[in-house]
Amino acid sequence: MRALIKEFPFEKTSPLTHWDRGSWPSCWIRHPDPLTPPFVTAYRREFGIEEDAIVRIHVSADERYELFLDGVRLGRGPERGAPHWWYFETYDLDLKKGRHMLVARVWSMGKKLAPTAQMSVTPGFLLAPDRSEFLEVLGTGSAPWEVMVLRGFDYTPAVHEFGVGHNVDITGAEFAWGYERGEGTGWLPAKPGERAKSGPQANLCQDVHLLYPATLPPMLDTPRQIGTARYSKVVAGINTRSVQIFDAENDAVACGRWDQLLKHGSCVAIPPNTIERVIIDLENYYCAYPQITVSGGKEGFVRLLWAEALFYAPDSVSDYRKDGDSKGNRDEIDGKYFIGYGDIFRPDGGEHREFRPLWWQAGRYLELVIQTGAQELTIEGILFFETRYPLEMESHFSFDKPELVECLPMMVRAMQSCAHETYFDCPYYEQLMYVGDTRLEVLTHFAMQRDSRLPGKAVHLFDISRIPRGLTQARYPSNSMSLIAPFSLWWVAMVHDLALWRGNLEQVKRTMPFCRSVLDHFLQHLNADGVLDPPEGWNFMDWVPNWFWGCPPDGERSINSVQGWQLAHVLGLAAQVEEWLGEDTLAERDRRLAATLSANLTKVFWDEGRGLFADNPSKTRWSEHAQCLAILSDQLGHAAESRLLENMLRSGDLEKTTIYFSHYYFEACRKLGRMDAFMDRMAIWFELKGRGFKTTFEKPGDSRSDCHAWGAHPLYHYYASILGVRPSAMGFATVEVRPQLGGMTSAKGKLIHPMGFIEVDYQVEAGFLTSSITLPEGISGVFLHKNREEPLGPGRNELRTPCSDLLPTAP
């Protein structure tokens, strides 16, 4: 049995017509009593078949479900979406003749307790067989499904997060053990509700799930036996947040027992009337469903909290020991405090009880606190089921600069940890998909893997998030609206990136009218001087320490050049997409508007004495951001761009781009051939390993999040800027190769391409660059150097170029 995933958009494979448009033959079902979230229910259907059969079923729920057949989990869902684009999964059940039990565990946390990214219409469950002869056997609303409230769940807030939702506190004495096999008492006939509906149709009200097939592969669900016990101690109480950890107090023998359990599955027995505290280091960053198996321990307590790192102070903010950092070296725990959140499990004294939360947790460190009463508790196993999008490195590279290579695992792990049913800004604090983050995650994804389903879904979800004024929401899915106007422009850039790197022609065609509406919204904010007044919402651009809430100077109240140059840059990207789509008139309009805006920005913000653009009209504030976006706008000409970049690099008083916005700094360096500056800025990443990081962080100084995939973008630049391989036509139909090795004498790589791989091998010797470039069958391109272009054909291409010819020149 397996989950079936259809490519985006929907491809109809069913003989029925209900799966893409119209009402389904099955209904949503619910508990017969009105239930107020939070609650957890189980639905069961026992049935028999007279001969072996493969039965296709379509399944969804509000908010989340787990599906079991004869006690074995088949999958989870629904894939996260929005009320007017609600997903269903498709499974093929390989059924043998005889009796079977289908069970779904469904939970609804409600807006107050659910993750911010979790949207909802009305709690319920839906299962529809693909073939009409199984409708009375399995279809919800037709077959006699039963439902039961699963007791024993309470909920605790994640104390210092923003959007991940509440955690569970499970009381084993009340829990319905064996529910997944349909066992237990208290089952009631489920109440049928409204017919399920798919796609655009007549007579729709707003409060309805509009169903579409899931587009992604199943998330990873891989058991990991991982972790090392770093600290163990018998303590006086369970309130450990304010209790400092000292290596000198560690019980090394107890740590050894816990190591045996973590690595080899050996049991650990906790005597009666004991409280033991254990700090576990997973030694990498994980997103995982933890599973703790216990026996005995009636009236005991097992708490498993997660953290990305330990803190210098129990309130996490009052003690900054080094460079304003409240956590210090992430490898160190001595003298620190554990501040985390997670789940609580209360054993009932039964044998081999498996406790698991409803939702996964994230981080590197775990605090396990176990309290026993009169009965001994045996921990029989701790297992971690890693979950994330199946995002793996398909591309490869080799550089003779080891610092670049050492950064790779952190960037890959950050990307993996922030890629799930949507991209996330961070898996620990928010689990929300923000446009600014996602644009860089999508580009990095293109450098890692051929698959474009998650990038396509991201573009689509922000498309349907748009509000009547034309802006996309800043984050989506989200049960509360947030507007970050500059992020709407980055969404238009995302559409450009999807078109350039993967094509997705039909999706791009459908999306471009809405990109135009975003641009029109900004153009309506041009003032009498023809420059951009700040649009409504949070005008975040970058976490610059001296900018208020990440906004450029006067970014909330008055004009600034950073947002103006962003608009000019994105107008240029939109023009390129219009041209690919054959909309030459619209492309010309965008370029004309960008040119006019550029001229107006120059009048207001240019300072001839400094040779730089100021951030504000009074020319008292300056940043790298304005210079980089001006360069990327393609409006200044090569000589002016070169002068601007040189002045930016020489000036010591500009606000610097942080780990996020350095992507645009890198793009400017790459455009003008200043890879020495690129390498200098990479110092941010080079120091991460020595500071104990396993993933890239959020921002400078006291970074809240240790895992922010917007900091993984140098992985994209390894291929697109250093090795110099980029698409030069929509869908990567042709290739541009422009290596810039930044002082290295050898580099090679293998970049994933929709048609295979692009392989490059560079060697610098005696003033010459020898290049071997292999393109997939049917793909051609150009090798760029100085004033010449060397054609590249399918297969292997050999070139020898004087290094002096690689210096940048005007395009």
Side-chain angles (χ1 to χ4, degrees):
M1 58 202 70
R2 62 191 178 94
L4 300 176
I5 306 299
K6 301 179 180 68
E7 293 292 335
F8 184 96
F10 179 78
E11 295 176 3
K12 185 172 20 175
T13 59
S14 168
L16 300 179
T17 61
H18 310 290
W19 318 124
D20 60 343
R21 183 184 289 264
S23 295
W24 289 25
S26 294
C27 299
W28 290 87
I29 58 174
R30 299 177 179 90
H31 196 278
D33 300 328
L35 301 176
T36 301
F39 60 83
V40 183
T41 52
Y43 294 85
R44 74 177 182 184
R45 171 66 180 126
E46 186 177 10
F47 65 98
I49 59 172
E50 297 180 355
E51 59 183 21
D52 295 355
I54 295 179
V55 180
R56 178 170 292 184
I57 59 173
H58 309 296
V59 182
S60 192
D62 185 342
E63 298 168 352
R64 304 287 305 184
Y65 75 81
E66 291 176 301
L67 185 66
F68 301 86
L69 176 64
D70 300 328
V72 177
R73 182 185 293 105
L74 300 184
R76 296 185 175 95
E79 184 180 308
R80 186 164 280 170
H84 49 301
W85 202 285
W86 198 269
Y87 289 104
F88 66 88
E89 279 72 38
T90 298
Y91 301 88
D92 275 354
L93 306 182
D94 189 358
L95 301 173
K96 303 301 180 185
K97 175 182 177 181
R99 305 296 296 176
H100 296 279
M101 179 68 76
L102 266 175
V103 174
R105 180 167 74 167
V106 179
W107 61 92
S108 177
M109 302 290 282
K111 186 173 180 179
K112 291 184 178 179
L113 273 63
T116 304
Q118 181 62 57
M119 304 184 80
S120 175
V121 178
T122 303
F125 175 65
L126 173 70
L127 188 149
D130 195 73
R131 288 155 51 190
S132 56
E133 61 264 35
F134 287 100
L135 189 62
E136 300 296 326
V137 179
L138 295 176
T140 52
S142 300
W145 281 81
E146 296 176 294
V147 62
M148 174 176 65
V149 175
L150 296 181
R151 308 292 179 186
F153 287 90
D154 201 356
Y155 307 93
T156 59
V159 290
H160 59 289
E161 53 76 42
F162 163 67
V164 301
H166 279 49
N167 303 293
V168 294
D169 183 336
I170 300 176
T171 300
E174 301 175 17
F175 190 80
W177 300 104
Y179 77 89
E180 70 275 14
R181 298 183 294 274
E183 298 172 3
T185 59
W187 295 91
L188 300 171
K191 179 182 178 180
E194 70 280 3
R195 289 273 182 189
K197 301 180 188 302
S198 270
Q201 55 186 279
N203 301 320
L204 277 181
C205 63
Q206 274 198 314
D207 295 331
V208 65
H209 304 90
L210 280 181
L211 291 159
Y212 291 86
T215 61
L216 304 181
M219 298 300 104
L220 207 67
D221 188 23
T222 305
R224 307 284 190 198
Q225 206 155 16
I226 51 176
T228 296
R230 296 274 299 270
Y231 176 87
S232 179
K233 184 183 179 183
V234 173
V235 295
I238 64 172
N239 296 320
T240 56
R241 176 170 171 146
S242 60
V243 179
Q244 209 164 1
I245 295 164
F246 293 105
D247 288 343
E249 297 176 355
N250 176 44
D251 184 338
V253 175
C255 262
R257 290 197 299 268
W258 286 106
D259 271 345
Q260 288 298 307
L261 180 143
L262 291 165
K263 293 177 169 58
H264 306 294
S266 303
C267 295
V268 173
I270 311 299
N273 304 310
T274 300
I275 303 174
E276 186 165 354
R277 183 190 196 194
V278 185
I279 304 297
I280 297 169
D281 184 353
L282 297 181
E283 301 176 310
N284 206 338
Y285 201 102
Y286 283 93
C287 301
Y289 291 90
Q291 176 179 289
I292 299 181
T293 305
V294 304
S295 288
K298 186 176 182 180
E299 299 181 354
F301 168 100
V302 179
R303 185 180 70 204
L304 188 62
L305 304 185
W306 293 64
E308 295 185 324
L310 276 65
F311 291 82
Y312 285 129
D315 62 2
S316 79
V317 295
S318 65
D319 189 356
Y320 302 103
R321 302 283 181 90
K322 181 181 178 182
D323 298 329
D325 189 349
S326 63
K327 304 174 195 175
N329 190 298
R330 271 52 173 178
D331 288 333
E332 297 171 357
I333 68 170
D334 186 40
K336 293 184 178 180
Y337 297 83
F338 189 101
I339 305 171
Y341 63 80
D343 305 292
I344 298 170
F345 310 118
R346 303 179 188 274
D348 64 337
E351 297 295 309
H352 316 305
R353 297 302 203 198
E354 292 183 353
F355 285 94
R356 299 182 80 176
L358 295 173
W359 192 244
W360 51 266
Q361 302 288 3
R364 171 182 173 181
Y365 289 98
L366 290 82
E367 181 194 55
L368 181 63
V369 173
I370 305 160
Q371 181 181 37
T372 55
Q375 187 180 32
E376 178 182 88
L377 174 66
T378 301
I379 307 291
E380 298 176 333
I382 301 178
L383 200 58
F384 302 93
F385 289 82
E386 184 179 3
T387 184
R388 56 176 173 82
Y389 194 80
L391 176 61
E392 308 294 342
M393 276 295 293
E394 297 179 35
S395 301
H396 307 280
F397 71 85
S398 175
F399 296 149
D400 67 3
K401 191 176 182 66
E403 300 98 310
L404 292 171
V405 179
E406 288 175 356
C407 292
L408 178 66
M410 286 179 285
M411 293 186 288
V412 170
R413 199 60 180 167
M415 277 295 299
Q416 291 174 332
S417 300
C418 292
H420 293 262
E421 293 169 5
T422 65
Y423 294 103
F424 290 153
D425 62 333
C426 54
Y428 187 80
Y429 287 95
E430 296 191 31
Q431 297 178 13
L432 285 161
M433 183 165 68
Y434 285 86
V435 181
D437 308 61
T438 303
R439 192 214 173 182
L440 305 193
E441 289 171 305
V442 165
L443 285 171
T444 308
H445 189 137
F446 291 151
M448 293 176 65
Q449 190 177 67
R450 181 181 290 112
D451 170 44
S452 64
R453 284 173 288 183
L454 188 56
K457 181 185 177 184
V459 167
H460 171 70
L461 286 177
F462 287 122
D463 179 5
I464 65 173
S465 81
R466 287 173 295 104
I467 63 173
R469 291 192 294 272
L471 294 178
T472 65
Q473 295 185 44
R475 58 177 188 240
Y476 205 74
S478 174
N479 60 35
S480 63
M481 189 172 72
S482 171
L483 293 179
I484 302 177
F487 279 14
S488 289
L489 289 178
W490 291 141
W491 174 68
V492 177
M494 280 177 61
V495 176
H496 168 273
D497 301 336
L498 182 68
L500 179 62
W501 284 83
R502 290 297 182 265
N504 289 39
L505 177 62
E506 291 306 314
Q507 183 180 2
V508 173
K509 280 183 177 179
R510 290 195 307 269
T511 305
M512 275 308 291
F514 311 117
C515 294
R516 295 168 196 142
S517 73
V518 168
L519 294 172
D520 285 342
H521 178 89
F522 280 85
L523 293 169
Q524 291 171 18
H525 283 77
L526 296 178
N527 64 18
D529 294 322
V531 296
L532 183 68
D533 278 331
E536 63 270 42
W538 179 19
N539 284 290
F540 172 86
M541 194 65 70
D542 188 16
W543 281 124
V544 175
N546 291 327
W547 286 359
F548 180 74
W549 274 94
C551 298
D554 301 328
E556 295 296 288
R557 298 180 215 142
S558 181
I559 60 174
N560 69 87
S561 68
V562 180
Q563 288 179 271
W565 283 117
Q566 184 200 17
L567 176 57
H569 171 44
V570 174
L571 280 167
L573 298 180
Q576 193 171 41
V577 180
E578 300 285 16
E579 202 167 60
W580 292 333
L581 298 180
E583 299 287 356
D584 293 342
T585 301
L586 293 174
E588 176 57 32
R589 174 181 181 265
D590 287 343
R591 291 194 175 101
R592 173 174 49 80
L593 289 168
T596 302
L597 176 58
S598 170
N600 294 333
L601 290 167
T602 301
K603 288 177 186 176
V604 175
F605 296 103
W606 177 251
D607 185 286
E608 180 61 28
R610 297 200 64 178
L612 294 169
F613 288 101
D615 288 347
N616 57 354
S618 58
K619 301 180 182 177
T620 59
R621 305 287 295 276
W622 309 82
S623 71
E624 294 177 339
H625 305 68
Q627 324 313 318
C628 291
L629 292 175
I631 290 167
L632 296 178
S633 73
D634 291 331
Q635 295 298 319
L636 304 180
H638 178 74
E641 289 173 351
S642 297
R643 180 191 176 199
L644 185 59
L645 183 64
E646 292 304 316
N647 290 335
M648 181 187 83
L649 296 177
R650 280 198 299 266
S651 298
D653 61 343
L654 305 188
E655 299 291 355
K656 296 187 181 304
T657 61
T658 75
I659 191 167
Y660 156 57
F661 211 87
S662 287
H663 165 73
Y664 301 99
Y665 179 96
F666 288 161
E667 286 287 89
C669 291
R670 174 258 174 192
K671 182 180 181 182
L672 295 172
R674 286 302 305 269
M675 295 304 284
D676 56 329
F678 177 104
M679 292 297 180
D680 289 343
R681 185 55 54 89
M682 279 297 298
I684 297 173
W685 285 264
F686 294 161
E687 68 176 16
L688 290 180
K689 182 179 179 181
R691 295 171 59 189
F693 281 92
K694 301 298 182 182
T695 48
T696 54
F697 59 31
E698 180 179 8
K699 60 180 181 178
D702 190 44
S703 180
R704 175 192 61 156
S705 167
D706 281 5
C707 184
H708 242 67
W710 69 10
H713 61 79
L715 177 54
Y716 162 81
H717 288 283
Y718 284 5
Y719 296 95
S721 299
I722 297 176
L723 296 177
V725 180
R726 296 195 179 207
S728 54
M730 185 175 182
F732 224 144
T734 58
V735 179
E736 170 190 304
V737 180
R738 183 187 171 209
Q740 298 189 70
L741 304 189
M744 293 187 291
T745 58
S746 68
K748 61 182 178 180
K750 186 176 180 181
L751 174 64
I752 194 71
H753 181 277
M755 302 299 292
F757 286 94
I758 296 172
E759 299 183 53
V760 296
D761 190 342
Y762 306 122
Q763 301 293 327
V764 176
E765 189 175 9
F768 284 86
L769 173 70
T770 301
S771 304
S772 174
I773 302 166
T774 304
L775 303 184
E777 188 66 31
I779 301 299
S780 62
V782 294
F783 180 88
L784 300 179
H785 58 110
K786 204 147 189 177
N787 295 316
R788 291 182 295 169
E789 296 183 359
E790 299 288 344
L792 300 173
R796 187 164 178 167
N797 301 261
E798 301 283 349
L799 302 100
R800 192 165 186 265
T801 311
C803 290
S804 59
D805 283 0
L806 299 174
L807 295 175
T809 57

